[in-house]
Amino acid sequence: MHPPAVEMGRKLGTHGSTVAGVGWTLYVGVLLFLSGAVSLLGLTQAAAKIPLSERLPMATAGLVIGVLMLLPALMRTKQRVEVFERGLLWHRLLGTKTLAAGDIQASKLIRHSGRSGQYDEIELELKDGGSYSINGLKEAEQLISYVRSWSNPPPAAVAPSPGGWAPPAGAGGWRPPGS
Amino acid sequence: MANYPFYYLLLPVVAVGYALFMRSHQKKKTQEYDQQYANFRAGPLAQRLGLQLLKGDPTFNFLVTHANQSVARGATDSKAIDIDIEMAGAPFGVPLAFRYLYRVERETGFNSTTYKTWFNCRMVATAKQSFPPFEVTSRNTSLGRIVRQQTLPDAPTHNPAVDAEFQVTTHEPALAQLLGQILPEFSAFGGAGVHLLGEGQQVSFVMNQTTAPMAPSALYYAEVMTHALSTLAQRLGG
């Protein structure tokens, strides 16, 4: 259960995920999983000729390694972050995590570049000592910028200066000098 | 050796020669651009804008950053790229400061190389009085959306042309309305983009390294920037 979004203020945006950096893992994972399934079920003529007891070890290995490779990639692609004025909701394959602005102590944007592509990682350090890494989000720079604004909010009130700008009487608002 | 055709030996020599030629050609081109845009070197730019160069290399070219040896060579494990430039003055009666910080550190690990990058480029005008916080970003730029830094709500300026071109965010409707009168001067930046941050007594024009508004394209309009920022600060806080 997470607190209703209204407690975190206005919604500022949604950040979907990208497959950048996990394309190779997805490709190999799918191939291994399919080859394991084909071997296990004897779906080709060649496989059907081999007894199940001989096919089983290789088929199981293919299925297990395939799933292990697909799982992180699927978790990556099935995530989404909704960012609000005072916190964010991180929707993942295995549930939603709520992070309030006040829980976050520090943040870091890390750009990973490699042969399999480039993706951004957002590292959030919590005040309770924990930390989270959100990988492969779209427009990660915008998200980290909002997160940083939580620790550096703009001044809420303006101190009136003598003889110059002053809030209009009664309205409590602000007026430019000389108005 | 004798069994190999002549061109087997010639091809690598041609490839190396071509690579060397291209490198020297690129270097020459960079020098030409550096000369062509010499008025965007820190020293001449400061003079042109009526600012004083307080810190940094006066020959650093903001439009042709690769003309700087340290940037062209790139960061190494033992030597970081460290460009730190500061200018200040009051060409239009309002204190104006320009800061350009670009630092890259490199750490080579066993199977990965980590680059730590710091980039801060902004022109800041300081008013006499403080005003409510606000943020202005161009709605469309040639490099996509501008990364906003505040979580303020949208506020209409009641100037349709300004509202169509800029996204203005502030808690204060009167301030948004005033911005509607001042922002047309910033239209000169066009596709380069505009990112203004107002906090306390300061109005900043924020520039970035990889996203809009990029420092070189925004600084191309440096004169407009200094004048428009000074006017803005004056109108907001005297």
Side-chain angles (χ1 to χ4, degrees):
Chain A
M1 276 295 285
H2 54 76
V6 68
E7 285 181 20
M8 292 199 284
R10 206 166 31 90
K11 184 174 167 179
L12 302 170
T14 303
H15 297 260
S17 60
T18 66
V19 289
V22 289
W24 182 85
T25 320
L26 268 172
Y27 174 69
V28 176
V30 166
L31 280 183
L32 279 172
F33 184 81
L34 285 177
S35 65
V38 165
S39 175
L40 186 71
L41 301 171
L43 294 177
T44 59
Q45 281 185 341
K49 284 177 191 166
I50 304 168
L52 181 66
S53 57
E54 283 181 30
R55 297 197 314 258
L56 200 59
M58 283 301 284
T60 310
L63 285 171
V64 170
I65 298 171
V67 167
L68 286 177
M69 289 186 85
L70 284 174
L71 200 63
L74 280 176
M75 282 183 72
R76 157 87 81 85
T77 52
K78 288 288 174 191
Q79 67 173 349
R80 176 168 57 88
V81 170
E82 285 180 274
V83 58
F84 298 85
E85 280 177 311
R86 293 181 292 279
L88 60 88
L89 296 177
W90 181 18
H91 301 283
R92 295 176 293 178
L93 195 65
L94 304 174
T96 298
K97 182 79 200 162
T98 304
L99 292 169
D103 297 340
I104 297 166
Q105 188 165 32
S107 60
K108 203 189 280 179
L109 176 67
I110 304 164
R111 183 153 291 160
H112 296 271
S113 297
R115 284 191 199 94
S116 53
Q118 180 179 289
Y119 67 93
D120 292 327
E121 175 187 352
I122 289 178
E123 205 175 84
L124 301 173
E125 212 176 285
L126 305 183
K127 284 179 181 163
D128 65 5
S131 67
Y132 288 101
S133 273
I134 310 177
N135 288 294
L137 281 184
K138 285 176 187 164
E139 297 178 341
E141 282 195 44
Q142 179 60 81
L143 179 58
I144 197 101
S145 183
Y146 284 141
V147 171
R148 283 173 184 161
S149 78
W150 296 337
S151 57
N152 181 30
V158 178
S161 305
W165 295 69
W174 167 92
R175 275 187 196 168
S179 62
Chain B
M1 276 291 275
N3 294 335
Y4 288 108
F6 174 65
Y7 60 84
Y8 268 47
L9 298 171
L10 189 66
L11 275 177
V13 175
V14 170
V16 170
Y18 180 72
L20 288 173
F21 166 75
M22 284 309 287
R23 199 176 156 164
S24 127
H25 179 69
Q26 208 171 5
K27 207 172 167 181
K28 203 177 149 195
K29 275 277 172 209
T30 304
Q31 281 169 351
E32 277 175 23
Y33 287 135
D34 186 32
Q35 281 299 324
Q36 188 180 342
Y37 295 106
N39 53 341
F40 286 96
R41 289 179 186 158
L45 182 71
Q47 205 172 14
R48 191 150 56 92
L49 299 178
L51 303 172
Q52 198 187 343
L53 185 66
L54 304 175
K55 188 180 178 186
D57 177 7
T59 64
F60 181 79
N61 196 320
F62 296 106
L63 253 60
V64 192
T65 53
H66 271 72
N68 180 276
Q69 271 192 344
S70 162
V71 175
R73 191 178 49 237
T76 62
D77 286 11
S78 56
K79 201 168 185 335
I81 298 174
D82 194 5
I83 310 290
D84 193 357
I85 293 167
E86 269 183 49
M87 302 175 192
F92 301 100
V94 173
L96 210 58
F98 173 74
R99 176 86 195 270
Y100 184 97
L101 172 76
Y102 176 48
R103 182 173 171 83
V104 184
E105 288 175 9
R106 181 182 146 145
E107 284 169 25
T108 307
F110 177 67
N111 62 351
S112 67
T113 305
T114 306
Y115 292 91
K116 290 180 185 167
T117 307
W118 291 261
F119 189 83
N120 181 20
C121 178
R122 56 182 71 201
M123 182 87 77
V124 183
T126 306
K128 286 178 185 154
Q129 292 173 221
S130 53
F131 42 80
F134 71 89
E135 184 165 20
V136 176
T137 50
S138 296
R139 290 190 189 274
N140 295 305
T141 76
S142 49
L143 283 168
R145 277 219 313 231
I146 292 176
V147 174
R148 287 170 57 193
Q149 292 187 11
Q150 297 293 355
T151 58
L152 299 163
D154 281 10
T157 66
H158 301 296
N159 179 340
V162 167
D163 285 333
E165 191 174 352
F166 301 106
Q167 184 177 17
V168 175
T169 60
T170 176
H171 286 295
E172 191 55 67
L175 190 138
Q177 215 160 339
L178 180 68
L179 288 173
Q181 297 165 25
I182 310 166
L183 288 177
E185 191 175 355
F186 286 92
S187 296
F189 287 88
V194 171
H195 187 184
L196 299 170
L197 265 181
E199 276 182 293
Q201 287 171 259
Q202 295 189 325
V203 195
S204 310
F205 191 113
V206 182
M207 290 158 272
N208 305 306
Q209 190 196 8
T210 54
T211 56
M214 276 174 73
S217 34
L219 285 173
Y220 189 77
Y221 306 97
E223 280 97 343
V224 180
M225 193 187 290
T226 49
H227 182 260
L229 263 186
S230 302
T231 308
L232 183 56
Q234 221 155 24
R235 297 280 302 273
L236 289 169

